[in-house]
Amino acid sequence: MEFSIKQRGVLGGMLTGTAISIGLIIFGILLNPFNFQSNLTLLEKSSVLFKSLILLALCLAFSIGRLAKHRFFNPDEIDGRGLRTDSDRAIFLQSLLQNTLEQSVLAAFVYGTWTFVMPSAWLSVVPLAALSFALGRVLFFAGYRRGAVGRAVGFTMAFYPSVLMLICTVCVLPISAVAGGS
């Protein structure tokens, strides 16, 4: 099967996002750039998590605000989609919001799980992933109108760190359960 030009472009974005995500996780684990100690308390871990989640909340608030502003300044759409047919602009903004919401929920669950399951010295991965998320959202928003190729890197920079962190966490859970039970 031969890929179309768009498919090749998206694949390139996916590979770039994969490389960034793998590099980010390895960098966070091996180099611990924020110098987190291996004996952090629950309160200290929670502080890192919630500071990191602020970036996700900002991206989500920005998306909500863009759609709300559009609706407010367009009298025909101020009642919302449930009561009217949306314009192309409102549908576009709703798509950005929906994707950001989905990504934010996944990332928040994964960052929280990573924070409390993985070793404290690996906690740098969480703020690094949150930074990647925020930059990925900016690139996703900027490239959205150019289609799948234009948004691929931005999408993967937000999504792939969450997926890779989830996989790592799922792999460590059985090991920590056995180690904790001895």
Side-chain angles (χ1 to χ4, degrees), residues 6-119:
K6 279 188 182 182
Q7 287 173 311
R8 285 192 298 264
V10 170
L11 181 60
M14 290 168 57
L15 293 174
T16 300
T18 300
I20 289 168
S21 301
I22 291 170
L24 175 143
I25 291 170
I26 291 171
F27 176 70
I29 290 172
L30 296 181
L31 298 180
N32 189 9
F34 297 106
N35 296 313
F36 292 119
Q37 302 302 312
S38 60
N39 59 348
L40 293 179
T41 66
L42 186 60
L43 183 60
E44 291 167 326
K45 287 180 166 187
S46 297
S47 176
V48 172
L49 171 63
F50 290 120
K51 287 174 184 173
S52 299
L53 292 177
I54 288 171
L55 289 173
L56 279 64
L58 286 171
C59 293
L60 191 55
F62 178 76
S63 295
I64 293 167
R66 285 180 73 192
L67 180 58
K69 177 185 170 195
H70 170 79
R71 289 199 189 287
F72 181 78
F73 287 107
N74 289 279
D76 290 342
E77 295 183 300
I78 200 165
D79 286 328
R81 186 174 181 182
L83 299 175
R84 309 198 60 90
T85 301
D86 277 341
S87 67
D88 288 343
R89 176 74 178 162
I91 292 168
F92 165 74
L93 293 171
Q94 182 65 49
S95 295
L96 292 175
L97 171 57
Q98 182 66 37
N99 187 269
T100 302
L101 175 62
E102 293 164 358
Q103 296 259 11
S104 297
V105 169
L106 175 65
F109 279 118
V110 171
Y111 297 177
T113 304
W114 182 281
T115 298
F116 298 110
V117 171
M118 302 306 250

